[in-house]
Amino acid sequence: PTVQWLKDLGMNDAQLLTAISNFPELLTLSVERKLQPVATWFKEKLGMSDTHLSKIIEKSPQIFGYSFERNLEPSVQWFRDLGMRDAQLSKAIVTCPELLSCSLESKLIPIKEWMKEDLGISDAQIAKMVSAFPKVLTYNLETNLKSTALWLKDLGMKDSQVSKAIINRPQLLGCSLETNLKPTVQWLKNIGMSDSQVAGMIAKTPEVLERSLDNHLKPLAKWFQEDLGMDEAQFKKGIASWPQLLHSSLEANLKPLVQWFKDLGMNDSHIARVFAKFPQISSCSLKDNLKPTVQWLQQELGMSDSQVAKTISTFAGFLWLSLEENLKPTVRWFLDLGMDSPQVAQVIASCPMILSCSVEKNLKPKLQAIREAGLADSQIVSILVRFPPLLSYTLERLTDRMSALDAEGSLTEAKLVGAMVMTDQEFQFKFSGVRNRVLDSS
């Protein structure tokens, strides 16, 4: 009867074999007095299906021999008191049925108290952790949880950083200190990262410590340095500013991205510099983000592959700007100013940082200042085509230098460009007398 009941529940022969091997006493449990009542309780209390129950029995069949009053109901109520909804709790138990085998008094309550008192983690945050990674509450408090948290603090991480890392990545607490965490940190230090950089990296991206040192991290570093020609300084700079770079997949992400760069005409040294300066690009989707952005620029403005390559090499950050909220409004603004598409393409290729400027808060005020200085739109277009970085300077610098040129009657296109590229010291030396007269008259 028991085997037939289990089959009627939906368990296949492989699941049955696993369950019986793990808990032979399963076959001695009464269907009417034990198995069916527990199954009904799970369905009514947590909305579980037969498929869910089959998975629980396969992984932890002993649970179906537990007492409602002494085990199941107190445990479920404890999780509810944490703030877990029934749907979250059901999913957590199906994922890790071992949760219901953990003693409240000797396991769950001590872990909760330690997390709250030592790490400042709230009930709601614990509930979030359990929902994301239920197994965290099955780890040993002394040998896993406390020792890992203490080690993180010894690295120089603040209490708040340790708490944040654990909340965001509770899997970290299950990693071996000796065979995983310590060797990875030592490797990071060996490539030149300081203690504070390592601590900051773990705080931002704790999942990096879960990656295999020999199967992922070292091959990744070797590929960047040997295949792309990145030096250690470039590699260190990239992972220090964007630790997620170490989490990238070579085959699924990085190699296709590099091949796309090469198809645009970029060489290895250009690509290496892009990853060093803009490592965030490793997290961008080729299909959903990068290719559509470049395709739009080429279709809208007629940009060539070489212009796109130059733009990416100079400021790859434009690739993760929103097409609708950033790129299209900025390009439309330049076209409305009187530029044609090839001129806009030239400006973007020469000064792609301009694409990150807000039209309303940045570009329009500067344009208005130039107009008020007496230059016509046609002259402004001529200056921008000749000197695209003009609008990347601050409004204060722009107005200051236009005022000085206007005061001596030499506000021309060529003079303005010359004044803008001067250092503050050069400008002060050449125009100090003029600026004093401007200040006196005002």
Side-chain angles (χ1 to χ4, degrees):
T2 300
V3 172
Q4 187 58 52
W5 183 84
L6 293 170
K7 287 185 174 181
D8 291 342
L9 197 64
M11 296 187 72
N12 57 40
D13 290 343
Q15 289 176 310
L16 281 171
L17 182 60
T18 300
I20 294 170
S21 299
N22 290 335
F23 185 63
E25 293 87 344
L26 179 65
L27 296 177
T28 67
L29 298 178
S30 167
V31 171
E32 292 77 14
R33 292 192 303 273
K34 201 68 183 176
L35 298 180
Q36 187 59 55
V38 172
T40 301
W41 183 84
F42 273 122
K43 289 180 178 181
E44 293 179 351
K45 293 286 185 178
L46 297 174
M48 290 189 181
S49 65
D50 287 350
T51 301
H52 291 151
L53 297 177
S54 296
K55 291 180 179 178
I56 292 175
I57 295 173
E58 179 186 8
K59 296 176 182 177
S60 298
Q62 69 276 11
I63 288 174
F64 272 68
Y66 288 169
S67 162
F68 289 118
E69 293 77 13
R70 293 192 302 273
N71 303 102
L72 299 179
E73 290 182 350
S75 294
V76 166
Q77 187 58 50
W78 185 83
F79 283 109
R80 284 173 171 165
D81 291 342
L82 274 181
M84 294 185 72
R85 300 188 300 273
D86 286 351
Q88 291 175 310
L89 181 53
S90 175
K91 182 179 178 180
I93 292 172
V94 172
T95 302
C96 182
E98 190 181 349
L99 282 177
L100 295 179
S101 297
C102 294
S103 165
L104 278 175
E105 289 73 20
S106 62
K107 186 85 170 179
L108 300 181
I109 292 176
I111 288 177
K112 172 187 170 182
E113 290 177 350
W114 172 75
M115 286 186 173
K116 294 184 72 172
E117 294 174 7
D118 283 40
L119 300 178
I121 299 176
S122 66
D123 284 358
Q125 290 170 322
I126 296 174
K128 176 186 174 183
M129 291 167 58
V130 176
S131 297
F133 187 66
K135 196 174 181 179
V136 67
L137 292 184
T138 68
Y139 292 143
N140 184 280
L141 178 57
E142 299 297 330
T143 60
N144 290 106
L145 307 187
K146 287 185 177 181
S147 59
T148 301
L150 180 61
W151 177 76
L152 291 172
K153 291 179 181 180
D154 288 343
L155 285 177
M157 293 179 68
K158 300 175 182 177
D159 288 351
S160 59
Q161 289 179 314
V162 173
S163 300
K164 182 178 179 181
I166 290 174
I167 292 169
N168 292 335
R169 200 68 183 179
Q171 293 91 330
L172 194 63
L173 294 172
C175 295
S176 167
L177 271 174
E178 299 303 325
T179 62
N180 185 277
L181 302 183
K182 288 183 178 179
T184 299
V185 166
Q186 188 57 52
W187 176 77
L188 291 170
K189 292 181 178 180
N190 289 344
I191 64 176
M193 297 193 72
S194 65
D195 289 350
S196 61
Q197 285 178 317
V198 172
M201 173 181 288
I202 297 172
K204 290 180 184 177
T205 318
E207 58 268 28
V208 166
L209 292 182
E210 299 169 40
R211 301 310 298 256
S212 168
L213 185 57
D214 293 323
N215 297 328
H216 181 79
L217 297 179
K218 287 183 177 179
L220 187 72
K222 182 179 179 181
W223 179 79
F224 271 115
Q225 294 175 337
E226 295 185 4
D227 287 36
L228 286 185
M230 289 182 77
D231 57 37
E232 284 193 0
Q234 287 178 315
F235 183 66
K236 185 179 75 171
K237 179 181 179 182
I239 63 175
S241 62
W242 190 253
Q244 293 91 327
L245 183 62
L246 290 176
H247 208 55
S248 301
S249 165
L250 264 178
E251 300 300 328
N253 180 254
L254 296 175
K255 287 184 178 180
L257 178 58
V258 167
Q259 187 56 54
W260 181 68
F261 284 147
K262 290 182 176 181
D263 291 342
L264 289 172
M266 296 174 66
N267 59 37
D268 286 347
S269 63
H270 289 152
I271 297 171
R273 284 200 298 270
V274 166
F275 277 113
K277 291 175 63 178
F278 305 98
Q280 299 92 327
I281 202 165
S282 63
S283 300
C284 294
S285 167
L286 260 178
K287 179 183 177 182
D288 300 327
N289 184 268
L290 305 183
K291 286 184 176 180
T293 297
V294 168
Q295 184 179 25
W296 178 79
L297 288 172
Q298 292 184 320
Q299 291 178 347
E300 183 75 12
L301 300 176
M303 292 184 75
S304 63
D305 283 354
S306 62
Q307 284 180 311
V308 171
K310 179 182 178 182
T311 304
I312 294 173
S313 298
T314 305
F315 181 69
F318 84 91
L319 285 171
W320 52 84
L321 295 174
S322 167
L323 262 177
E324 300 300 326
E325 296 179 10
N326 297 96
L327 303 187
K328 288 184 179 181
T330 303
V331 167
R332 172 50 51 193
W333 184 80
F334 279 114
L335 292 172
D336 291 344
L337 184 60
M339 287 187 177
D340 57 31
S341 293
Q343 288 174 324
V344 178
Q346 180 182 337
V347 168
I348 290 174
S350 299
C351 185
M353 291 78 75
I354 204 79
L355 291 172
S356 64
C357 295
S358 165
V359 170
E360 296 298 326
K361 297 180 180 179
N362 191 308
L363 300 181
K364 283 187 176 180
K366 291 174 184 176
L367 175 63
Q368 184 60 33
I370 299 173
R371 284 171 172 168
E372 290 176 355
L375 294 177
D377 285 359
S378 59
Q379 292 175 295
I380 298 172
V381 167
S382 177
I383 297 174
L384 288 173
V385 171
R386 175 183 177 183
F387 185 62
L390 177 68
L391 295 180
S392 65
Y393 291 105
T394 65
L395 179 60
E396 180 183 6
R397 181 187 181 102
L398 184 61
T399 54
D400 187 38
R401 303 200 174 191
M402 286 193 301
S403 296
L405 290 171
D406 187 46
E408 69 169 18
S410 60
L411 181 54
T412 64
E413 297 173 25
K415 290 282 189 178
L416 178 57
V417 171
M420 293 303 295
V421 299
M422 288 181 183
T423 65
D424 288 341
Q425 186 176 5
E426 291 171 337
F427 180 74
Q428 181 69 24
F429 177 77
K430 185 169 183 178
F431 291 96
S432 58
V434 176
R435 293 182 76 245
N436 290 334
R437 291 198 300 272
V438 171
L439 292 173
D440 290 341
S441 63
S442 61

